[in-house]
Amino acid sequence: PMIVHRLDMATSGLLLVAKTKEVHQHLQAQFASRSIKKRYVAVLDGAIATVEKTALPPGRTGRIELPLCPNPLDRPCQSVDEEHGKEAITEYQIITNSEKHTRIAFCPLTGRTHQLRVHAAHPKGLNCPILGDELYGKKADRLYLHAEYIEFRHPIYGDIICIQKEPDF
């Protein structure tokens, strides 16, 4: 088996694996063309607030576009860098929001290292790190980030395949 894409080590959820080299190449081409759809669920450590300091309501959607590159002074962390960073785009929808936590769905349109984690934690992003993120937030009993859904075209039959596994948190 050949792993088609990656998840951060502490992220739970779905991972796509190919059984043959040909299928692996076909699925990787779908990732490269951004035709594969993915959705993650996360619990953020706090409430996402607007500029007016009021909590964003459930159902609210948004888009984060912050270019990322490796932080040479703090590996393995990534940095937002408008000049040297690579394009990183995340769409999100708030599921629930309380004073302590925000449950959110993330749909990454690009696949940069730590993209969701940085987009959640960075002041120009949501300014609210994922619960349990030891690199960009605070430690907890686990990282509350789960790859919940993936949709792709079957590399042999051409059917659209949708797989979903809800998080256990």
Side-chain angles (χ1 to χ4, degrees):
M2 292 164 270
I3 295 173
V4 179
H5 65 113
R6 58 185 163 66
L7 296 175
D8 289 347
M9 188 172 13
T11 302
S12 61
L14 300 170
L15 185 65
L16 199 54
V17 178
K19 291 167 78 173
T20 69
K21 184 176 181 179
E22 293 77 22
V23 167
H24 183 261
Q25 290 172 336
H26 193 283
L27 291 169
Q28 283 196 318
Q30 289 184 57
F31 270 102
S33 69
R34 299 183 182 172
S35 62
I36 289 184
K37 296 176 183 167
K38 298 183 291 178
R39 182 177 63 240
Y40 293 74
V41 172
V43 176
L44 305 184
D45 191 10
I48 302 172
T50 63
V51 175
E52 297 84 29
K53 302 295 183 205
T54 57
L56 294 178
R60 168 77 183 263
T61 61
R63 182 178 174 112
I64 303 164
E65 297 185 42
L66 294 173
L68 302 176
C69 67
N71 182 339
L73 303 176
D74 190 14
R75 297 254 182 193
C77 290
Q78 302 293 303
S79 295
V80 172
D81 189 322
E82 300 288 341
E83 186 178 346
H84 300 102
K86 292 184 179 179
E87 178 183 54
I89 303 169
T90 304
E91 293 179 341
Y92 67 89
Q93 180 174 15
I94 296 172
I95 301 169
T96 60
N97 204 350
S98 71
E99 288 183 22
K100 288 189 171 190
H101 299 111
T102 301
R103 189 176 189 87
I104 194 165
F106 287 122
C107 294
L109 302 183
T110 54
R112 304 287 172 226
T113 301
H114 297 176
Q115 176 176 320
L116 302 178
R117 297 164 70 177
V118 175
H119 282 179
H122 197 275
K124 290 183 179 178
L126 297 175
N127 198 26
C128 198
I130 296 172
L131 185 61
D133 189 341
E134 296 184 35
L135 292 178
Y136 306 100
K138 294 183 280 188
K139 186 176 181 171
D141 59 320
R142 64 167 290 169
L143 176 65
Y144 283 80
L145 178 61
H146 178 82
E148 176 186 59
Y149 176 86
I150 191 162
E151 179 181 310
F152 59 95
R153 185 167 297 280
H154 193 285
I156 297 172
Y157 305 113
D159 300 336
I160 298 294
I161 306 295
C162 305
I163 304 169
Q164 182 167 342
K165 173 66 174 119
E166 294 183 9
D168 62 356
F169 54 82

